[in-house]
Amino acid sequence: RMSRHAKKLRDHDINPCLAETDATTKCMDDNNYNKDLCSDYFLKYRNCRKFWHGIMMQRKRNGVKPEMPSAEERKKILESVG
């Protein structure tokens, strides 16, 4: 059974970097946990986290709730930035 925390991390509305997380995990699994072979995946994950953290902080400053946009909203934000 998944813990509440683990369920939250698997929720697309809460975790904007689920695809990057899964891709990184798969790369690590496929490459016998050799981080060097997965550095591109780690970079994509870090960039994703950095981007959405910035959006979240901006929304927090502006009093927008929820601070993390929903998966649907995030899709529109990504389309608008290209």
Side-chain angles (χ1 to χ4, degrees):
R1 232 180 94 154
M2 268 200 289
S3 71
R4 234 208 219 107
H5 180 68
K7 274 191 188 132
K8 271 176 122 174
L9 292 178
R10 300 300 310 160
D11 185 333
H12 280 280
D13 282 329
I14 295 171
N15 182 356
C17 301
L18 201 52
E20 290 80 1
T21 303
D22 290 346
T24 304
T25 303
K26 185 181 180 330
C27 181
M28 291 292 280
D29 289 344
D30 293 349
N31 290 290
N32 205 20
Y33 294 88
N34 181 340
K35 281 186 177 176
D36 297 338
L37 297 175
C38 299
S39 57
D40 286 351
Y41 292 94
F42 284 111
L43 186 62
K44 282 179 189 159
Y45 173 78
R46 274 198 308 275
N47 288 339
C48 178
R49 294 299 303 177
K50 203 158 117 185
F51 177 80
W52 288 113
H53 181 75
I55 298 278
M56 204 169 82
M57 296 316 291
Q58 188 63 53
R59 286 168 67 102
K60 194 174 192 169
R61 277 192 295 276
N62 296 339
V64 179
K65 296 279 184 194
E67 288 158 7
M68 178 53 73
S70 69
E72 194 54 43
E73 231 182 313
R74 288 196 308 266
K75 209 167 113 183
K76 290 176 183 151
I77 292 170
L78 287 176
E79 284 166 3
S80 76
V81 295

